[in-house]
Amino acid sequence: MIRRLRIDRCAAAVLAVAAILALYALVLPVNNTTVALSLLLAILGFSARWGLAEATVASLVAVLGFNYYFLPPVRTFTIQDPQNWVAAVAFLVTAVTASQLSARVRRRAAEAEARRLEIERLYELVQGMMLSGTSQRAIREFVQRVVQVFGCNAAAFYYRPADAFFRSGPESAPVSDHDLLAAAEIDHLSVEPSRQRAMAPVRFGGRTLGSVALLGPLPSDQTLLAIVNLIALSIEKARAIEDASQAEAARQSEALKAALLDSLAHDIKTPLTSIKAAVTSLLGNAAGSDLELLTIINEEADRLNQLAAEVIAMARVEAGKLHLEKRPAEAREMIDGALAELANARAGRTVLIEVPADLPLLDCDPEFVQQVLKQLLENAFKYSPETEPVSVSAVPKGARIVIGVADRGPGLDDSERPHIFDKFFRGRRHRFETKGTGMGLAIAKGIMEAHGEKMWVQSEPGHGTAFYFTLPVAAGRVR
């Protein structure tokens, strides 16, 4: 069809040149310059309207006709005067060169128009995908809109994170799931003009998101790459929005949970205080079985009271409402204070305290740090044999002091160590053997993080566990 159209145009161009030659040769006698300029204008018109091939054919016919009718000897193809040879050659070169330039300008204009249309289509595609809520919804929107906007026959997409395939319709059947899986592994755009098919991997930041395939009339390779980059950006934007929404929902859920726990703990503490006061009063006059029952009530009330205190502390840690009152403090005094509060739990256990006499003062909130030490010491007493000592150390490391509490218990399994500071986490071996809530270490770490410091654990199964945390040295306060 295209070849027949080009032949018809060439024939029309020849007829037009013949008409101009006949007009000047038979009807309007003019000089040779007028004839040459008229022919040249016609050739430029053919080049601008149709293209280089038609203009070239017209140029050759025009040179032959100009020679035959207007260059002496007239009505022969011979040229006697060398100047006329120069004129004929100059006309041919000028006509062909002008045709080429005109065709090039026309081609560049067509390419610019095509690029403009592709940019407009890309912009339309971007607009259509901007409001996609989730990554999979963005992909569904893409496979439908890319067909509508770019006039493709079909589109298909493989999304690796969800191992899902998306298609614009049954027209995309020539691209199998296997083809899409293979396209995700290649490193470049693959275009098959004979099959009118293009396939490319979709990547973002070095991470493969999947692959895309387009069927039918295809845009330029640059536009195809732009489409691939666009869908990658759209997926990542949608995924980032999903993550942000989930994170916000989780944050609000945690905040609500913390508020509820705080409120509940405060409501529990009031009746616990009354129960404790009543039991303490009754214990003074009880005897026999009554004394035993009241003692149990008293101990369990203490346990509930401690649980309520831990819940309140955990709620404050999670809400970021710990109000620290930092001042210079002695490590030894805080350690002694924690041991004094744990006199009953210690029950004669040997505690080795390794604190240098010239240890600098610490910049911290002593009450909160003492609470951390109390939690670590209580853990050591609970989870190590009564015959084994517990060690407490304080060692200067530059501008900080590293405080540690170590026991000689069974230690932690490798699978438990990463979760030891998680809220409500308890080891499998001690979950039912030892009383506790699993909040103490989470609270201790939260207190250290509120100080801007860190806490970590070192453990070897069968050889005990050691918890460490750092505190800064008080400025200008050295013992």
Side-chain angles (χ1 to χ4, degrees):
M1 183 66 182
I2 296 177
R3 183 178 179 183
R4 179 59 184 271
L5 180 62
R6 180 163 291 178
I7 292 174
D8 292 343
R9 289 176 176 176
C10 289
V14 170
L15 290 176
V17 169
I20 294 173
L21 292 171
L23 175 65
Y24 288 137
L26 303 175
V27 180
L28 297 175
V30 293
N31 57 38
N32 292 350
T33 302
T34 302
V35 176
L37 290 175
S38 298
L39 292 172
L40 186 59
L41 287 174
I43 292 168
L44 288 176
F46 301 148
S47 176
R49 179 67 178 175
W50 292 330
L52 181 61
E54 292 83 351
T56 302
V57 171
S59 299
L60 294 174
V61 173
V63 168
L64 292 175
F66 185 62
N67 177 23
Y68 186 82
Y69 288 106
F70 297 99
L71 294 180
V74 178
R75 298 188 184 280
T76 66
F77 288 104
T78 59
I79 300 177
Q80 294 179 342
D81 191 346
Q83 293 182 2
N84 291 334
W85 276 107
V86 173
V89 171
F91 174 78
L92 178 61
V93 171
T94 302
V96 173
T97 302
S99 299
Q100 288 180 335
L101 293 175
S102 178
R104 184 179 300 176
V105 170
R106 184 170 175 270
R107 186 169 60 253
R108 293 288 184 269
E111 291 174 355
E113 179 66 15
R115 296 291 182 272
R116 183 186 67 80
L117 290 175
E118 289 181 348
I119 291 174
E120 288 181 354
R121 290 169 178 171
L122 279 173
Y123 178 71
E124 184 179 350
L125 186 62
V126 170
Q127 279 187 316
M129 298 178 62
M130 283 295 289
L131 300 179
S132 300
T134 64
S135 54
Q136 297 196 33
R137 182 178 175 183
I139 296 171
R140 291 192 189 94
E141 186 73 18
F142 166 76
V143 296
Q144 298 298 328
R145 293 193 67 86
V146 73
V147 172
Q148 299 172 5
V149 173
F150 285 93
C152 301
N153 292 338
F157 195 97
Y158 164 59
Y159 186 42
R160 175 177 285 181
D163 194 25
F165 297 88
F166 302 85
R167 299 179 181 277
S168 60
E171 299 84 357
S172 62
V175 180
S176 65
D177 293 351
H178 176 75
D179 293 336
L180 290 170
L181 289 170
E185 304 300 329
I186 64 177
D187 297 326
H188 52 80
L189 173 69
S190 174
V191 180
E192 301 177 49
S194 59
R195 301 175 62 183
Q196 289 191 319
R197 186 172 81 168
M199 303 185 73
V202 179
R203 294 189 175 94
F204 188 86
R207 184 168 61 93
T208 301
L209 300 176
S211 60
V212 63
L214 298 179
L215 299 175
L218 301 174
S220 64
D221 290 356
Q222 294 81 359
T223 302
L224 287 171
L225 291 174
I227 291 173
V228 172
N229 293 331
L230 170 63
I231 184 59
L233 288 171
S234 299
I235 292 173
E236 283 301 302
K237 177 185 76 71
R239 189 188 62 80
I241 292 175
E242 286 182 75
D243 292 345
S245 299
Q246 292 174 1
E248 178 62 19
R251 187 193 67 78
Q252 293 181 357
S253 176
E254 287 297 321
L256 178 60
K257 188 189 302 180
L260 289 173
L261 287 175
D262 193 8
S263 176
L264 180 60
H266 278 292
D267 290 342
I268 290 175
K269 284 184 71 69
T270 301
L272 277 177
T273 303
S274 302
I275 293 172
K276 181 68 176 177
V279 167
T280 303
S281 175
L282 292 173
L283 277 173
N285 302 318
S289 60
D290 291 340
L291 177 61
E292 183 179 354
L293 291 174
L294 289 172
T295 301
I296 293 173
I297 294 173
N298 186 50
E299 291 175 354
E300 294 303 317
D302 289 338
R303 184 184 173 193
L304 285 173
N305 198 32
Q306 181 180 359
L307 175 60
E310 288 182 350
V311 169
I312 293 173
M314 191 74 252
R316 289 176 178 174
V317 166
E318 292 184 340
K321 294 182 179 180
L322 289 180
H323 302 293
L324 303 180
E325 295 181 3
K326 293 185 179 182
R327 62 178 184 273
E330 292 185 1
R332 184 58 186 256
E333 287 184 0
M334 291 185 290
I335 294 171
D336 291 340
L339 288 172
E341 291 186 30
L342 293 172
N344 293 333
R346 181 178 178 181
R349 291 283 294 271
T350 301
V351 178
L352 304 177
I353 301 176
E354 301 173 4
V355 179
D358 59 347
L359 189 73
L361 296 177
L362 305 178
D363 183 25
C364 63
D365 186 314
E367 285 75 17
F368 279 116
V369 173
Q370 185 169 310
Q371 184 177 345
V372 171
L373 286 166
K374 178 183 173 183
Q375 176 59 48
L376 297 181
L377 286 166
E378 186 176 15
N379 266 24
F381 294 152
K382 284 181 180 179
Y383 301 111
S384 64
E386 296 181 0
T387 57
E388 297 292 340
V390 173
S391 301
V392 184
S393 61
V395 180
K397 296 288 184 181
R400 278 173 168 70
I401 305 297
V402 178
I403 299 177
V405 176
D407 62 51
R408 298 180 185 177
L412 298 172
D413 294 337
D414 292 339
S415 60
E416 295 177 342
R417 192 179 298 115
H419 306 287
I420 193 64
F421 294 108
D422 292 352
K423 186 172 56 176
F424 305 122
F425 177 80
R426 303 190 69 202
R428 291 190 299 271
R429 287 177 295 179
H430 307 286
R431 190 170 299 168
F432 304 107
E433 300 174 4
T434 308
K435 294 180 180 180
T437 61
M439 289 191 292
L441 291 176
I443 293 170
K445 187 176 183 182
I447 290 173
M448 285 298 100
E449 290 176 347
H451 278 80
E453 300 298 321
K454 60 181 180 179
M455 174 179 284
W456 67 98
V457 62
Q458 294 180 357
S459 181
E460 184 178 351
H463 294 82
T465 304
F467 290 91
Y468 297 95
F469 61 90
T470 59
L471 286 172
V473 174
R477 303 296 295 272
V478 180
R479 293 286 304 231

